[in-house]
Amino acid sequence: MAASPPAFNGPIVVMGVSGCGKSSIGERLAAHLGLPYVEGDSLHPPANIAKMSAGIPLDDDDRWPWLAMIGKRLAEADEAGIVISCSALKRIYRDRLRQAAGHPLAFVYLKGSRDILLQRMTARPGHFFKASLLDSQLATLESPEDERLVVTVDIAPSPEVITAAALEGLAALNGVEP
């Protein structure tokens, strides 16, 4: 059996709206690739978590300091890379992260229907992000599917299938100009 091609060599942001599986798929990708994993939600300032816990959507002013922290982690990563989860809902946010990284940055966009996302969100008790905020995230989302170094993966299958599809897509990015 032929060896699979190596995955993208550099930092990776696993992105999408809440409930798409950023954390679980990010952890799986990092483990498979032998890279460190950072849960982007852990970098939110306490005020952001308080707002989301109260069911109040974040605005750009809330997100900029958080994105700066994620960008700092991307910039500090060594050449082998890092995997970070981050919603990265708008192109301007992704461009900010690309600039902060200082080298080619890949995004794994976890895409799913509102029904699947809502079902997953309501099945995770205790998470600070309220399911009532899903529609605001979907309204804010600017699809990255036409951007460079983006792998889009459907979230309907099992985590194993999602991870395999992400790895295949990342391998296909080798040699793609940023």
Side-chain angles (χ1 to χ4, degrees):
M1 183 165 86
S4 62
F8 176 80
N9 187 27
I12 299 164
V13 172
V14 180
M15 64 156 292
V17 299
S18 187
C20 70
K22 294 181 296 288
S23 299
S24 59
I25 300 305
E27 289 173 352
R28 287 172 170 273
L29 286 174
H32 183 84
L33 298 169
L35 296 175
Y37 172 72
V38 174
E39 168 56 63
D41 283 345
S42 71
L43 301 176
H44 270 296
N48 285 8
I49 294 187
K51 272 183 99 166
M52 291 183 284
S53 295
I56 302 168
L58 299 181
D59 59 26
D60 286 351
D61 289 336
D62 298 319
R63 288 188 179 104
W64 293 129
W66 174 60
L67 290 165
M69 289 297 300
I70 291 172
K72 182 177 184 222
R73 289 292 185 94
L74 290 167
E76 293 171 348
D78 66 21
E79 288 183 23
I82 190 170
V83 177
I84 298 180
S85 60
C86 173
S87 55
L89 298 175
K90 293 182 179 181
R91 184 173 191 142
I92 194 170
Y93 303 161
R94 295 185 294 274
D95 287 345
R96 178 81 54 100
L97 294 176
R98 288 178 179 109
Q99 183 178 22
H103 34 77
L105 174 62
F107 288 86
V108 173
Y109 169 40
L110 300 178
K111 181 179 179 179
S113 72
R114 181 186 183 282
D115 289 341
I116 290 174
L117 292 162
L118 188 59
Q119 179 183 18
R120 289 182 180 184
M121 290 177 76
T122 56
R124 58 179 197 184
H127 194 279
F128 66 84
F129 193 91
K130 303 295 182 203
S132 62
L133 296 175
L134 176 60
D135 288 331
S136 72
Q137 281 211 327
L138 290 170
T140 302
L141 177 65
E142 297 171 2
S143 174
E145 293 176 274
D146 65 341
E147 298 172 25
R148 310 266 307 148
L149 299 179
V150 173
V151 174
T152 301
V153 181
D154 178 23
I155 65 166
S158 69
E160 294 80 14
V161 172
I162 295 168
T163 303
L167 289 167
E168 182 178 321
L170 288 166
L173 295 181
N174 283 327
V176 173
E177 292 296 317

